[in-house]
Amino acid sequence: MEFKKYKNLVDFYTSISIEKYHLDGIEKRSYWYHLDHKFSVVEGFKQNIPPYIIGHINNLEMLMGRNNLVKNRKCSIDKDVLIDSILGNSETSIN
């Protein structure tokens, strides 16, 4: 799968997560705050992680905009933590 298609699927699943947890009223990207994927979309693509996992609510967090820009494509959690948080069904709210 090409990256553009993968990213579109991640965006789709991210939107579903936001709607499912009634967060559709939050501003996903502003000057001050950004909705971020803890395990990055780019790294998910490189490691063949299914888009629905990258778009899962447990992989989302709110960051200060400048912190997200510094983080860039880095991951703030590792793959095992991500998978455990989803398979263990320990649903959390966005940090």
Side-chain angles (χ1 to χ4, degrees), residues 6 25 33:
Y6 180 85
Y33 295 100

Side-chain angles (χ1 to χ4, degrees), residues 1-17:
M1 174 184 319
E2 65 182 52
F3 179 72
K4 184 176 180 178
K5 182 175 181 182
Y6 180 85
K7 182 169 181 343
N8 286 340
L9 284 170
V10 169
D11 290 345
F12 171 75
Y13 287 112
T14 300
S15 294
I16 289 174
S17 290

Side-chain angles (χ1 to χ4, degrees), residues 30-44:
S30 71
Y31 177 78
W32 295 106
Y33 295 100
H34 294 175
L35 180 63
D36 183 55
H37 294 89
K38 297 176 191 178
F39 196 91
S40 77
V41 177
V42 170
E43 201 56 38

Side-chain angles (χ1 to χ4, degrees), residues 19-60:
E19 289 175 24
K20 180 178 179 183
Y21 291 93
H22 308 288
L23 302 170
D24 41 334
I26 67 167
E27 193 170 350
K28 295 159 193 70
R29 198 167 197 73
S30 71
Y31 177 78
W32 295 106
Y33 295 100
H34 294 175
L35 180 63
D36 183 55
H37 294 89
K38 297 176 191 178
F39 196 91
S40 77
V41 177
V42 170
E43 201 56 38
F45 177 75
K46 288 180 181 176
Q47 294 191 32
N48 266 341
I49 298 174
Y52 70 89
I53 290 181
I54 300 299
H56 192 278
I57 191 73
N58 289 359
N59 193 39
L60 301 177

